[in-house]
Structure formats: structure tokens, C-alpha cells
Amino acid sequence: FDPRHCQGTHCYGFPKTGPHRLRFLLESVKDLRETLKKKGSSLVVRKGKPEDVVCDLITQLGSVSAVAFHEEVRE
């Protein structure tokens, strides 16, 4: 979870992630984690800037051969 999504937008100062969206995201991640667990897998969830968190995870895991990501489209 990127804490910058809880900050105000650059145009109007409204948070990118309000309480309803946050609840939806948390429930979705919880459901995904439970689904993966039933299939014998797991889900890593972290809070922080993705560029820092991914780097730290790669360092922790040590044997990463590829990383894929999706960048948010900005208006």
C-alpha cells in the first residue's frame, strides 16, 4: 500500500483513496490472500513507497530473476 494514495490530489486536494475505496481495497486484498492460501500460495503485503518496498523485497529474497509492475496512468 502506497501511503501517497492517502494524500491529497494535486488539483483539488481530495484524497485519492477515501474511506470507501480503502475498505474495498482492504477487503479485496484479504479475499485474495485467503484464496491464495487455499491454493497453497501466499501474498506479500507491505506499506510504503513501491520503489523502496520492491527493492527491499528483492534484497530479502535474494534469488529474483524478474520483476513485473504496472504504472498508474496520470492525467
Side-chain angles (χ1 to χ4, degrees):
F1 290 100
D2 188 340
R4 295 173 290 196
H5 285 271
C6 296
Q7 297 172 352
T9 59
H10 64 277
C11 293
Y12 301 104
F14 295 113
K16 287 182 170 185
T17 305
H20 299 292
R21 184 175 184 192
L22 179 60
R23 178 178 294 137
F24 173 77
L25 288 171
L26 292 173
E27 289 172 356
S28 298
V29 168
K30 180 181 177 184
D31 183 66
L32 177 59
R33 176 179 267 159
E34 291 170 0
T35 301
L36 289 170
K37 188 175 181 180
K38 288 177 187 174
K39 296 182 181 290
S41 191
S42 62
L43 178 67
V44 176
V45 179
R46 296 288 187 266
K47 177 183 174 188
K49 293 180 179 179
E51 57 271 24
D52 298 332
V53 172
V54 172
C55 185
D56 291 344
L57 283 173
I58 291 170
T59 302
Q60 285 179 335
L61 295 173
S63 61
V64 176
S65 60
V67 175
F69 68 93
H70 170 77
E71 185 175 0
E72 181 180 356
V73 178
R74 296 185 183 222
E75 298 176 22

